[in-house]
Coordinates of all heavy atoms in Angstrom, one line a residue:
M1 N 29.9 -30.5 2.5 CA 29.7 -30.5 3.9 C 28.9 -29.3 4.3 O 29.2 -28.2 3.9 CB 30.9 -30.7 4.7 CG 30.7 -31.1 6.0 SD 32.3 -31.2 6.9 CE 32.6 -29.6 7.3
S2 N 28.0 -29.4 5.2 CA 27.2 -28.3 5.6 C 26.6 -28.6 7.1 O 26.4 -29.7 7.5 CB 26.0 -28.1 4.7 OG 25.1 -27.1 5.2
F3 N 26.4 -27.5 7.9 CA 25.6 -27.6 8.9 C 24.2 -28.1 8.6 O 23.8 -27.6 7.4 CB 25.6 -26.3 9.7 CG 26.9 -26.2 10.6 CD1 28.1 -26.4 10.1 CD2 26.8 -25.9 12.0 CE1 29.3 -26.1 10.9 CE2 27.8 -25.8 12.8 CZ 29.1 -25.8 12.2
I4 N 23.5 -28.9 9.5 CA 22.1 -29.4 9.2 C 21.2 -29.1 10.3 O 21.5 -29.3 11.5 CB 22.3 -30.8 9.0 CG1 23.2 -31.2 8.0 CG2 20.9 -31.6 8.9 CD1 22.6 -31.0 6.4
I5 N 20.1 -28.6 9.9 CA 19.1 -28.4 11.0 C 18.3 -29.7 11.3 O 17.7 -30.2 10.3 CB 18.1 -27.3 10.7 CG1 18.8 -26.0 10.7 CG2 17.0 -27.2 11.9 CD1 18.1 -24.6 10.5
G6 N 18.1 -30.3 12.4 CA 17.7 -31.6 12.7 C 16.3 -31.5 13.3 O 15.6 -30.5 13.4
K7 N 15.7 -32.7 13.5 CA 14.4 -32.9 13.9 C 14.0 -32.1 15.1 O 12.7 -31.9 15.3 CB 14.0 -34.5 14.0 CG 14.9 -35.1 15.1 CD 14.7 -36.7 14.9 CE 15.7 -37.4 15.8 NZ 15.7 -38.8 15.5
A8 N 14.9 -31.8 16.0 CA 14.5 -31.1 17.2 C 13.9 -29.7 16.8 O 13.2 -29.1 17.8 CB 15.7 -30.8 18.2
C9 N 14.1 -29.2 15.7 CA 13.5 -27.9 15.3 C 12.1 -28.1 14.9 O 11.4 -27.0 15.1 CB 14.3 -27.4 14.1 SG 13.7 -25.8 13.4
V10 N 11.6 -29.3 14.8 CA 10.2 -29.4 14.4 C 9.3 -28.8 15.5 O 9.6 -29.3 16.8 CB 9.8 -30.8 13.9 CG1 8.2 -30.9 13.8 CG2 10.6 -31.1 12.7
E11 N 8.4 -28.0 15.3 CA 7.5 -27.4 16.2 C 8.2 -26.4 17.2 O 7.5 -26.0 18.1 CB 6.7 -28.6 17.0 CG 5.8 -29.3 16.0 CD 5.0 -30.4 16.7 OE1 4.6 -30.1 17.7 OE2 4.9 -31.4 16.1
C12 N 9.4 -26.3 17.0 CA 10.2 -25.1 17.9 C 10.2 -24.0 16.9 O 9.6 -22.9 17.2 CB 11.6 -25.5 18.3 SG 12.5 -24.3 19.0
V13 N 10.9 -24.1 15.8 CA 11.0 -23.0 14.8 C 11.3 -21.6 15.5 O 10.6 -20.6 15.1 CB 9.8 -23.1 13.9 CG1 10.2 -22.4 12.6 CG2 9.3 -24.4 13.7
D14 N 12.3 -21.5 16.2 CA 12.6 -20.3 17.0 C 13.1 -19.1 16.2 O 12.7 -17.9 16.5 CB 13.7 -20.6 18.0 CG 14.0 -19.5 18.9 OD1 13.3 -19.2 19.9 OD2 15.1 -18.9 18.6
T15 N 13.9 -19.4 15.1 CA 14.5 -18.4 14.2 C 15.6 -17.6 14.7 O 16.2 -16.7 14.0 CB 13.3 -17.5 13.5 OG1 13.0 -16.6 14.5 CG2 12.2 -18.3 13.0
S16 N 16.1 -17.9 16.0 CA 17.1 -17.1 16.6 C 18.4 -17.3 15.7 O 19.3 -16.4 15.4 CB 17.7 -17.5 17.9 OG 16.5 -17.2 18.8
C17 N 18.6 -18.7 15.1 CA 19.7 -18.9 14.3 C 19.8 -18.2 13.0 O 20.7 -17.8 12.5 CB 19.7 -20.4 13.9 SG 18.1 -20.8 13.1
V18 N 18.5 -17.8 12.5 CA 18.6 -17.1 11.2 C 19.2 -15.7 11.3 O 19.9 -15.1 10.4 CB 17.1 -16.8 10.7 CG1 16.9 -15.9 9.6 CG2 16.2 -18.1 10.6
T19 N 19.0 -15.0 12.4 CA 19.5 -13.7 12.5 C 21.1 -13.5 12.7 O 21.7 -12.5 12.4 CB 18.8 -13.0 13.8 OG1 19.2 -13.8 15.0 CG2 17.3 -12.8 13.7
V20 N 21.7 -14.6 13.1 CA 23.2 -14.7 13.1 C 23.9 -15.2 12.0 O 25.2 -15.0 12.0 CB 23.5 -15.4 14.5 CG1 23.1 -14.8 15.8 CG2 23.3 -16.9 14.4
C21 N 23.3 -15.9 11.1 CA 23.9 -16.4 10.0 C 24.5 -15.3 9.1 O 23.8 -14.4 8.6 CB 22.9 -17.2 9.2 SG 23.9 -18.1 7.7
P22 N 25.9 -15.3 8.9 CA 26.5 -14.2 8.1 C 26.2 -14.2 6.7 O 26.5 -13.3 6.0 CB 28.0 -14.3 8.3 CG 28.1 -15.9 8.7 CD 26.9 -16.2 9.5
V23 N 25.7 -15.4 6.2 CA 25.5 -15.6 4.7 C 24.0 -15.8 4.3 O 23.6 -16.0 3.2 CB 26.3 -16.7 4.2 CG1 27.8 -16.3 4.1 CG2 26.1 -18.0 4.8
D24 N 23.1 -15.7 5.4 CA 21.8 -15.6 5.3 C 21.2 -16.9 4.5 O 20.6 -16.9 3.6 CB 21.2 -14.5 4.5 CG 21.3 -13.1 5.3 OD1 21.3 -13.2 6.5 OD2 21.2 -12.1 4.7
C25 N 21.9 -18.1 5.0 CA 21.5 -19.4 4.3 C 20.5 -20.2 5.2 O 20.4 -21.4 4.9 CB 22.7 -20.1 4.0 SG 23.6 -20.9 5.5
I26 N 19.9 -19.6 6.2 CA 18.9 -20.3 6.9 C 17.5 -19.9 6.5 O 17.2 -18.6 6.6 CB 19.1 -20.2 8.4 CG1 20.5 -20.7 8.8 CG2 18.0 -21.1 9.2 CD1 20.9 -20.5 10.3
N27 N 16.7 -20.7 6.0 CA 15.4 -20.3 5.5 C 14.3 -21.4 6.0 O 14.5 -22.2 6.8 CB 15.4 -20.3 4.0 CG 16.6 -19.6 3.5 OD1 17.5 -20.2 3.1 ND2 16.5 -18.3 3.3
G28 N 13.1 -21.1 5.5 CA 11.9 -21.9 5.8 C 11.1 -21.3 7.1 O 11.4 -20.2 7.4
P29 N 10.1 -22.0 7.5 CA 9.7 -23.3 7.1 C 8.9 -23.3 5.7 O 8.8 -24.5 5.1 CB 8.7 -23.8 8.2 CG 8.3 -22.5 8.7 CD 9.2 -21.5 8.5
L30 N 8.5 -22.3 5.1 CA 7.9 -22.4 3.9 C 8.6 -21.9 2.6 O 8.5 -22.6 1.5 CB 6.5 -21.5 4.0 CG 5.6 -21.9 5.2 CD1 4.3 -21.0 5.0 CD2 5.2 -23.3 5.0
Y31 N 9.4 -20.9 2.9 CA 9.9 -20.2 1.7 C 11.6 -20.2 1.7 O 12.1 -19.8 2.6 CB 9.3 -18.7 1.6 CG 7.9 -18.6 1.7 CD1 7.4 -17.9 2.8 CD2 7.1 -19.3 0.7 CE1 6.0 -17.8 2.9 CE2 5.8 -19.1 0.9 CZ 5.2 -18.3 1.8 OH 3.8 -18.3 1.9
I32 N 12.0 -20.5 0.5 CA 13.5 -20.6 0.4 C 14.0 -19.1 0.2 O 15.3 -18.8 0.1 CB 14.0 -21.4 -0.7 CG1 13.7 -21.1 -2.0 CG2 13.6 -22.9 -0.4 CD1 14.3 -21.8 -3.2
D33 N 13.2 -18.2 -0.2 CA 13.7 -16.7 -0.4 C 13.4 -15.9 0.7 O 13.5 -14.6 0.5 CB 13.2 -16.3 -1.8 CG 11.6 -16.1 -1.8 OD1 11.1 -16.8 -0.9 OD2 11.1 -15.6 -2.6
Q34 N 13.0 -16.3 1.8 CA 12.8 -15.4 2.9 C 13.6 -16.0 4.3 O 13.9 -17.2 4.2 CB 11.2 -15.5 3.4 CG 10.5 -14.6 2.4 CD 9.1 -14.5 2.8 OE1 8.7 -14.3 4.0 NE2 8.2 -14.4 1.8
L35 N 13.8 -15.2 5.2 CA 14.6 -15.6 6.3 C 13.7 -15.9 7.6 O 14.0 -15.3 8.6 CB 15.6 -14.4 6.6 CG 16.5 -14.1 5.6 CD1 17.4 -12.8 5.8 CD2 17.5 -15.2 5.1
G36 N 12.8 -16.8 7.3 CA 12.0 -17.3 8.4 C 10.9 -16.3 8.9 O 10.2 -16.5 9.9
E37 N 10.7 -15.2 8.2 CA 9.6 -14.1 8.6 C 8.4 -14.7 8.6 O 7.5 -14.3 9.4 CB 9.7 -13.0 7.5 CG 11.0 -12.2 7.5 CD 12.0 -12.6 6.4 OE1 11.8 -13.9 6.0 OE2 12.8 -11.8 6.0
E38 N 8.1 -15.7 7.9 CA 6.7 -16.3 7.7 C 6.2 -16.9 9.1 O 5.1 -17.0 9.4 CB 6.5 -17.3 6.6 CG 7.3 -18.6 6.7 CD 8.7 -18.4 6.0 OE1 9.3 -17.3 6.0 OE2 9.2 -19.4 5.6
V39 N 7.3 -17.2 9.9 CA 7.0 -17.9 11.2 C 6.1 -16.9 12.1 O 5.2 -17.3 12.7 CB 8.3 -18.3 11.8 CG1 7.9 -18.7 13.3 CG2 9.0 -19.4 11.2
R40 N 6.4 -15.6 12.1 CA 5.7 -14.7 12.8 C 4.1 -14.6 12.5 O 3.4 -14.2 13.4 CB 6.4 -13.3 12.7 CG 7.7 -13.3 13.3 CD 8.1 -11.8 13.6 NE 8.7 -11.2 12.3 CZ 9.9 -11.4 11.8 NH1 10.7 -12.1 12.4 NH2 10.3 -10.8 10.7
T41 N 3.8 -15.0 11.4 CA 2.3 -14.9 11.0 C 1.7 -16.3 11.0 O 0.5 -16.4 10.6 CB 2.3 -14.4 9.6 OG1 2.9 -15.0 8.6 CG2 2.9 -12.8 9.6
M42 N 2.3 -17.3 11.4 CA 1.9 -18.7 11.2 C 1.2 -19.0 12.7 O 1.8 -18.7 13.7 CB 2.8 -19.7 10.9 CG 3.2 -19.5 9.4 SD 4.7 -20.6 9.1 CE 3.8 -22.1 8.9
T43 N 0.1 -19.7 12.7 CA -0.4 -20.1 13.9 C 0.2 -21.3 14.5 O 0.9 -22.2 13.7 CB -1.9 -20.5 13.7 OG1 -2.1 -21.7 12.9 CG2 -2.8 -19.3 13.1
P44 N 0.1 -21.8 15.7 CA 0.8 -23.1 16.3 C 0.3 -24.3 15.4 O 1.2 -25.1 15.1 CB 0.3 -23.1 17.6 CG 0.0 -21.7 17.9 CD -0.6 -21.1 16.8
D45 N -0.9 -24.2 15.0 CA -1.3 -25.4 14.1 C -0.6 -25.4 12.8 O -0.2 -26.4 12.2 CB -2.9 -25.2 13.8 CG -3.7 -26.2 14.7 OD1 -3.1 -26.8 15.6 OD2 -4.9 -26.2 14.6
E46 N -0.5 -24.3 12.2 CA 0.2 -24.1 10.9 C 1.8 -24.5 11.0 O 2.3 -25.1 10.1 CB 0.1 -22.7 10.4 CG -1.3 -22.4 9.8 CD -1.4 -21.0 9.3 OE1 -0.7 -20.0 9.9 OE2 -2.4 -20.6 8.6
L47 N 2.3 -24.3 12.3 CA 3.6 -24.6 12.4 C 3.9 -26.0 12.7 O 5.1 -26.6 12.6 CB 4.3 -23.8 13.6 CG 4.7 -22.4 13.2 CD1 5.0 -21.7 14.5 CD2 5.9 -22.3 12.2
K48 N 2.9 -26.8 13.0 CA 3.0 -28.3 13.4 C 3.8 -29.1 12.2 O 3.4 -28.9 11.0 CB 1.6 -28.9 13.6 CG 1.1 -28.8 14.9 CD 0.2 -29.9 15.3 CE -0.2 -29.7 16.8 NZ -1.5 -29.2 17.0
G49 N 4.8 -29.7 12.7 CA 5.5 -30.5 11.6 C 6.5 -29.7 10.8 O 7.2 -30.3 9.9
K50 N 6.6 -28.4 11.0 CA 7.5 -27.7 10.2 C 8.8 -27.3 10.9 O 8.9 -27.5 12.1 CB 6.8 -26.3 9.9 CG 5.5 -26.4 9.3 CD 5.5 -26.6 7.9 CE 4.3 -26.4 7.2 NZ 3.0 -26.9 7.6
Q51 N 9.8 -26.9 10.2 CA 11.2 -26.6 10.6 C 11.9 -25.7 9.7 O 11.4 -25.4 8.6 CB 12.0 -28.0 10.9 CG 12.4 -28.6 9.6 CD 13.4 -29.5 9.7 OE1 13.2 -30.9 10.0 NE2 14.7 -29.2 9.5
L52 N 13.0 -25.3 10.2 CA 13.8 -24.4 9.5 C 14.9 -25.3 8.7 O 15.2 -26.5 9.1 CB 14.6 -23.3 10.2 CG 13.6 -22.4 11.1 CD1 14.5 -21.5 11.9 CD2 13.0 -21.5 10.1
Y53 N 15.5 -24.8 7.8 CA 16.5 -25.4 7.0 C 17.9 -24.6 6.7 O 17.7 -23.4 6.6 CB 15.9 -25.9 5.7 CG 14.7 -26.6 5.7 CD1 13.5 -26.0 5.6 CD2 14.7 -27.9 6.0 CE1 12.2 -26.7 5.7 CE2 13.6 -28.8 6.1 CZ 12.3 -28.2 6.0 OH 11.1 -28.8 6.1
I54 N 19.0 -25.3 6.5 CA 20.1 -24.6 6.0 C 20.3 -25.0 4.6 O 20.4 -26.1 4.2 CB 21.3 -25.1 7.0 CG1 21.1 -24.5 8.3 CG2 22.6 -24.6 6.3 CD1 22.1 -24.9 9.5
D55 N 20.8 -24.0 3.9 CA 21.1 -24.3 2.4 C 22.5 -24.9 2.4 O 23.5 -24.1 2.5 CB 21.1 -22.9 1.8 CG 21.3 -23.1 0.2 OD1 21.9 -24.3 -0.1 OD2 21.0 -22.2 -0.6
P56 N 22.7 -26.1 1.9 CA 24.0 -26.8 2.1 C 25.0 -26.2 0.9 O 26.2 -26.2 1.1 CB 23.7 -28.2 1.6 CG 22.2 -28.4 1.9 CD 21.7 -27.0 1.6
S57 N 24.4 -25.6 0.0 CA 25.3 -24.8 -1.0 C 25.8 -23.6 -0.6 O 26.7 -23.1 -1.3 CB 24.6 -24.8 -2.4 OG 23.5 -23.9 -2.2
M58 N 25.3 -22.9 0.4 CA 25.7 -21.7 0.8 C 26.5 -21.5 2.2 O 27.2 -20.7 2.6 CB 24.6 -20.8 1.0 CG 24.0 -20.2 -0.4 SD 22.8 -19.1 -0.2 CE 23.4 -17.8 0.6
C59 N 26.1 -22.6 3.1 CA 26.7 -22.7 4.5 C 28.3 -22.6 4.4 O 28.8 -23.4 3.8 CB 26.2 -23.9 5.2 SG 26.8 -24.1 6.8
I60 N 28.9 -21.7 5.1 CA 30.3 -21.7 5.2 C 30.9 -22.4 6.4 O 32.0 -22.1 6.7 CB 30.8 -20.2 5.1 CG1 30.2 -19.4 6.3 CG2 30.4 -19.6 3.9 CD1 30.7 -17.9 6.5
N61 N 30.1 -23.1 7.1 CA 30.4 -23.9 8.3 C 31.1 -23.0 9.4 O 32.1 -23.5 10.0 CB 31.4 -24.8 8.0 CG 30.8 -25.8 6.7 OD1 29.7 -26.3 6.9 ND2 31.6 -26.2 5.7
C62 N 30.6 -21.8 9.6 CA 31.2 -21.0 10.6 C 30.8 -21.3 12.0 O 31.5 -21.1 13.0 CB 30.8 -19.5 10.4 SG 29.0 -19.1 10.7
G63 N 29.6 -22.1 12.3 CA 29.1 -22.3 13.6 C 28.3 -21.4 14.4 O 27.9 -21.7 15.5
A64 N 28.1 -20.1 13.8 CA 27.5 -19.1 14.5 C 26.1 -19.5 15.0 O 25.6 -19.1 16.0 CB 27.5 -17.9 13.7
C65 N 25.4 -20.3 14.2 CA 24.1 -20.6 14.4 C 23.9 -21.5 15.7 O 22.9 -21.6 16.4 CB 23.4 -21.3 13.3 SG 24.3 -22.5 12.5
V66 N 24.9 -22.4 15.9 CA 24.7 -23.5 16.9 C 24.4 -23.0 18.4 O 23.3 -23.5 18.9 CB 26.0 -24.4 16.9 CG1 25.9 -25.3 18.1 CG2 26.1 -25.0 15.5
P67 N 25.1 -22.0 18.9 CA 24.7 -21.7 20.3 C 23.3 -20.9 20.4 O 22.8 -20.7 21.5 CB 25.9 -20.7 20.7 CG 26.4 -20.3 19.5 CD 26.3 -21.4 18.3
E68 N 22.8 -20.4 19.3 CA 21.6 -19.6 19.2 C 20.5 -20.5 19.3 O 19.3 -20.2 19.7 CB 21.5 -18.8 18.0 CG 22.5 -17.8 17.8 CD 22.7 -16.9 19.0 OE1 21.6 -16.3 19.4 OE2 23.8 -16.5 19.4
C69 N 20.4 -21.8 19.0 CA 19.4 -22.7 19.0 C 18.9 -23.1 20.4 O 19.8 -23.7 21.1 CB 19.6 -23.9 18.1 SG 18.2 -25.0 18.0
P70 N 17.7 -22.8 20.8 CA 17.4 -23.1 22.2 C 17.1 -24.7 22.4 O 17.0 -25.1 23.5 CB 16.1 -22.4 22.5 CG 15.5 -22.3 21.0 CD 16.6 -22.3 20.1
V71 N 17.1 -25.5 21.3 CA 16.7 -27.0 21.5 C 17.9 -27.7 20.9 O 17.7 -28.9 20.7 CB 15.4 -27.2 20.8 CG1 14.2 -26.7 21.6 CG2 15.4 -26.9 19.3
D72 N 19.1 -27.1 20.7 CA 20.2 -27.8 20.2 C 19.9 -28.7 18.9 O 20.3 -29.9 18.9 CB 20.8 -28.8 21.2 CG 21.5 -28.0 22.3 OD1 21.8 -26.8 22.1 OD2 21.4 -28.5 23.5
A73 N 19.2 -28.0 18.0 CA 18.7 -28.7 16.7 C 19.9 -28.8 15.6 O 19.5 -29.6 14.6 CB 17.5 -28.2 16.2
I74 N 20.9 -28.0 15.8 CA 21.8 -28.0 14.7 C 23.0 -28.9 14.7 O 23.8 -28.8 15.7 CB 22.2 -26.5 14.5 CG1 21.0 -25.6 14.4 CG2 23.1 -26.3 13.2 CD1 21.3 -24.1 14.3
Y75 N 23.2 -29.7 13.8 CA 24.3 -30.6 13.6 C 25.4 -29.9 12.9 O 25.1 -29.1 12.0 CB 23.9 -31.9 12.9 CG 22.7 -32.6 13.5 CD1 21.6 -32.9 12.7 CD2 22.9 -33.2 14.8 CE1 20.5 -33.6 13.2 CE2 21.7 -33.9 15.2 CZ 20.6 -34.1 14.5 OH 19.6 -34.8 15.0
R76 N 26.6 -30.3 13.2 CA 27.9 -29.6 12.7 C 28.0 -30.1 11.2 O 28.8 -29.5 10.4 CB 29.1 -29.9 13.5 CG 28.9 -29.2 14.8 CD 30.2 -29.1 15.6 NE 30.0 -28.0 16.7 CZ 30.2 -26.9 16.5 NH1 30.7 -26.3 15.3 NH2 30.0 -25.9 17.4
D77 N 27.6 -31.3 10.8 CA 27.6 -31.8 9.5 C 26.7 -32.9 9.3 O 26.1 -33.4 10.3 CB 29.1 -32.2 9.1 CG 29.8 -33.2 10.0 OD1 29.0 -34.0 10.7 OD2 31.1 -33.1 10.3
E78 N 26.6 -33.5 8.3 CA 25.7 -34.6 7.8 C 26.2 -35.8 8.8 O 25.4 -36.6 9.2 CB 26.0 -34.9 6.3 CG 25.5 -33.9 5.4 CD 26.6 -32.8 5.0 OE1 27.6 -32.8 5.7 OE2 26.3 -32.0 4.2
D79 N 27.5 -36.1 9.0 CA 27.9 -37.2 9.7 C 27.3 -37.2 11.2 O 26.8 -38.3 11.7 CB 29.4 -37.4 9.8 CG 29.9 -37.8 8.4 OD1 29.2 -38.2 7.6 OD2 31.2 -37.6 8.2
E80 N 27.3 -35.9 11.7 CA 26.9 -35.8 13.1 C 25.2 -36.1 13.1 O 24.8 -36.7 14.1 CB 27.0 -34.5 13.6 CG 26.7 -34.4 15.1 CD 27.1 -32.9 15.7 OE1 28.3 -32.9 16.0 OE2 26.2 -32.1 15.9
A81 N 24.7 -35.6 12.0 CA 23.2 -36.1 12.0 C 23.0 -37.4 11.9 O 22.1 -38.0 12.6 CB 22.6 -35.2 10.8
V82 N 23.7 -38.1 11.1 CA 23.5 -39.6 11.0 C 23.8 -40.3 12.2 O 23.1 -41.2 12.6 CB 24.4 -40.0 9.8 CG1 24.5 -41.6 9.8 CG2 24.0 -39.6 8.4
S83 N 24.8 -39.8 13.0 CA 25.2 -40.5 14.1 C 24.1 -40.3 15.3 O 24.1 -41.0 16.3 CB 26.6 -40.2 14.7 OG 26.7 -38.7 15.1
N84 N 23.2 -39.3 14.9 CA 22.1 -39.1 16.0 C 20.9 -39.6 15.3 O 19.8 -39.1 15.6 CB 21.9 -37.6 16.2 CG 23.0 -37.1 17.1 OD1 22.8 -37.2 18.4 ND2 24.0 -36.6 16.8
N85 N 21.0 -40.6 14.5 CA 19.9 -41.2 13.8 C 18.9 -40.3 13.1 O 17.7 -40.3 13.2 CB 19.1 -42.1 14.9 CG 19.7 -43.2 15.4 OD1 20.5 -43.9 14.6 ND2 19.9 -43.4 16.7
D86 N 19.5 -39.2 12.5 CA 18.7 -38.2 11.9 C 19.0 -38.0 10.3 O 19.1 -36.9 10.0 CB 18.8 -36.9 12.6 CG 17.5 -36.1 12.4 OD1 16.7 -36.4 11.7 OD2 17.5 -34.8 13.0
L87 N 19.2 -38.9 9.7 CA 19.6 -39.0 8.2 C 18.4 -38.2 7.5 O 18.7 -37.6 6.5 CB 19.9 -40.3 7.6 CG 20.0 -40.3 6.0 CD1 21.2 -39.6 5.7 CD2 20.3 -41.9 5.5
E88 N 17.2 -38.5 8.0 CA 16.2 -37.8 7.4 C 16.2 -36.3 7.3 O 15.8 -35.7 6.3 CB 14.8 -38.3 8.2 CG 13.4 -37.8 7.4 CD 12.3 -38.1 8.3 OE1 12.3 -38.7 9.4 OE2 11.2 -37.7 7.8
S89 N 16.6 -35.7 8.4 CA 16.8 -34.3 8.3 C 17.8 -33.7 7.3 O 17.7 -32.9 6.7 CB 17.2 -33.8 9.7 OG 16.1 -34.0 10.7
V90 N 18.9 -34.6 7.1 CA 19.9 -34.3 6.1 C 19.2 -34.2 4.8 O 19.3 -33.2 4.0 CB 21.0 -35.5 6.1 CG1 22.0 -35.0 5.0 CG2 21.8 -35.4 7.4
H91 N 18.5 -35.2 4.4 CA 17.7 -35.2 3.2 C 16.7 -34.0 3.0 O 16.7 -33.3 2.1 CB 17.0 -36.5 3.0 CG 17.8 -37.7 2.6 ND1 18.7 -37.8 1.5 CD2 18.1 -38.7 3.4 CE1 19.3 -38.9 1.5 NE2 19.0 -39.6 2.7
K92 N 16.0 -33.7 4.2 CA 15.1 -32.6 4.2 C 15.9 -31.3 3.8 O 15.3 -30.4 3.1 CB 14.4 -32.6 5.5 CG 13.4 -33.6 5.7 CD 12.7 -33.6 7.1 CE 11.3 -33.5 7.2 NZ 10.8 -33.5 8.6
N93 N 16.9 -31.0 4.5 CA 17.7 -29.9 4.3 C 18.0 -29.8 2.9 O 17.9 -28.6 2.2 CB 18.9 -29.8 5.2 CG 18.5 -29.3 6.7 OD1 19.0 -28.2 7.1 ND2 17.9 -30.2 7.4
Y94 N 18.6 -30.7 2.3 CA 19.1 -30.6 0.9 C 17.8 -30.5 -0.1 O 17.8 -29.6 -0.9 CB 19.8 -31.9 0.5 CG 21.3 -31.9 0.9 CD1 21.7 -32.0 2.1 CD2 22.3 -31.7 -0.1 CE1 23.1 -32.0 2.4 CE2 23.6 -31.8 0.2 CZ 24.0 -31.8 1.5 OH 25.3 -31.7 1.7
E95 N 16.7 -31.2 0.2 CA 15.6 -31.3 -0.7 C 14.9 -29.9 -0.7 O 14.3 -29.5 -1.6 CB 14.8 -32.4 -0.4 CG 15.2 -33.8 -0.8 CD 14.8 -35.0 -0.2 OE1 13.6 -34.8 0.4 OE2 15.3 -36.0 -0.4
F96 N 14.8 -29.3 0.5 CA 14.1 -28.0 0.6 C 14.8 -27.0 -0.5 O 14.1 -26.1 -0.9 CB 14.3 -27.5 2.0 CG 13.6 -26.2 2.3 CD1 12.2 -26.3 2.3 CD2 14.2 -24.9 2.4 CE1 11.4 -25.1 2.5 CE2 13.5 -23.8 2.6 CZ 12.1 -23.9 2.7
Y97 N 16.0 -27.2 -0.7 CA 16.7 -26.3 -1.8 C 16.8 -26.9 -3.2 O 17.5 -26.4 -4.1 CB 18.0 -25.9 -1.2 CG 17.9 -25.1 0.0 CD1 18.1 -25.7 1.3 CD2 17.7 -23.7 0.0 CE1 18.0 -25.0 2.5 CE2 17.6 -23.1 1.2 CZ 17.7 -23.6 2.4 OH 17.4 -22.9 3.6
G98 N 16.1 -28.0 -3.4 CA 16.1 -28.6 -4.6 C 17.4 -29.4 -4.8 O 17.8 -29.7 -6.1
L99 N 18.1 -29.7 -3.7 CA 19.4 -30.5 -3.9 C 19.2 -31.9 -3.4 O 18.2 -32.3 -2.8 CB 20.5 -29.8 -3.0 CG 20.7 -28.3 -3.3 CD1 21.6 -27.7 -2.2 CD2 21.4 -28.1 -4.6
K100 N 20.2 -32.7 -3.7 CA 20.2 -34.2 -3.4 C 21.4 -34.5 -2.7 O 22.6 -34.2 -3.0 CB 20.1 -35.0 -4.7 CG 19.7 -36.5 -4.4 CD 19.4 -37.1 -5.6 CE 19.3 -38.5 -5.8 NZ 18.5 -39.2 -4.7
Y101 N 21.2 -35.2 -1.5 CA 22.3 -35.6 -0.6 C 22.7 -37.0 -1.0 O 21.9 -37.8 -1.1 CB 21.9 -35.6 0.8 CG 23.0 -36.0 1.8 CD1 24.3 -35.4 1.9 CD2 22.9 -37.4 2.4 CE1 25.3 -35.9 2.6 CE2 23.9 -37.8 3.1 CZ 25.1 -37.2 3.3 OH 26.2 -37.5 4.1
E102 N 24.1 -37.1 -1.3 CA 24.5 -38.6 -1.8 C 25.6 -39.0 -1.0 O 26.4 -38.2 -0.6 CB 25.0 -38.5 -3.2 CG 24.1 -37.5 -4.1 CD 23.9 -38.0 -5.4 OE1 23.8 -39.1 -5.7 OE2 23.8 -37.2 -6.4
Ligands
SF4_1 FE1 24.9 -20.0 8.7 FE2 27.3 -20.4 9.8 FE3 25.1 -21.7 10.8 FE4 26.2 -22.2 8.1 S1 27.2 -22.6 10.2 S2 24.1 -22.0 8.6 S3 26.9 -20.3 7.6 S4 25.5 -19.5 10.7

């Protein structure tokens, strides 16, 4: 079980959540080994369709990221994402880290 960044993040990509995560498990939109720094050098065009992701293998479910998101894009778990018709984002979060959601 993991917190999941949902479709509302697309084209927002605020990165406030990244700075509060105690285990540094929020990454993207491009690199899994950076903490969203690439967003600062990307143009609005380059950010189109992009979002941040949470590493499901590292998230400790603390909830610190949730109030930081200006567009309420973060689900408390996979089930909450599914109940918001956003299973696609669950798969995207897992797949960004080379994992598979089953
Ligand atoms: Fe990081 Fe906690 Fe959010 Fe998980 S719930 S992504 S550990 S801040």
Side-chain angles (χ1 to χ4, degrees):
M1 193 179 84
S2 169
F3 279 53
I4 298 288
I5 297 184
K7 58 191 172 190
C9 182
V10 174
E11 293 178 46
C12 173
V13 203
D14 178 79
T15 74
S16 298
C17 57
V18 175
T19 57
V20 300
C21 179
V23 293
D24 290 340
C25 71
I26 305 177
N27 311 98
L30 302 179
Y31 308 118
I32 64 171
D33 60 347
Q34 292 189 31
L35 301 174
E37 294 95 338
E38 65 268 35
V39 170
R40 290 196 282 276
T41 60
M42 294 170 73
T43 66
D45 260 7
E46 289 171 330
L47 277 174
K48 274 207 176 106
K50 305 284 196 307
Q51 68 167 84
L52 301 174
Y53 304 96
I54 290 172
D55 184 342
S57 70
M58 286 184 62
C59 177
I60 59 171
N61 305 313
C62 71
C65 53
V66 173
E68 299 304 314
C69 180
V71 293
D72 294 329
I74 304 173
Y75 302 117
R76 297 195 161 272
D77 57 27
E78 294 84 348
D79 289 345
E80 188 176 279
V82 170
S83 68
N84 281 278
N85 295 315
D86 202 3
L87 176 61
E88 183 184 359
S89 289
V90 176
H91 288 297
K92 281 172 132 180
N93 278 252
Y94 275 75
E95 286 165 8
F96 186 71
Y97 296 96
L99 303 170
K100 192 167 167 51
Y101 177 66
E102 326 215 32

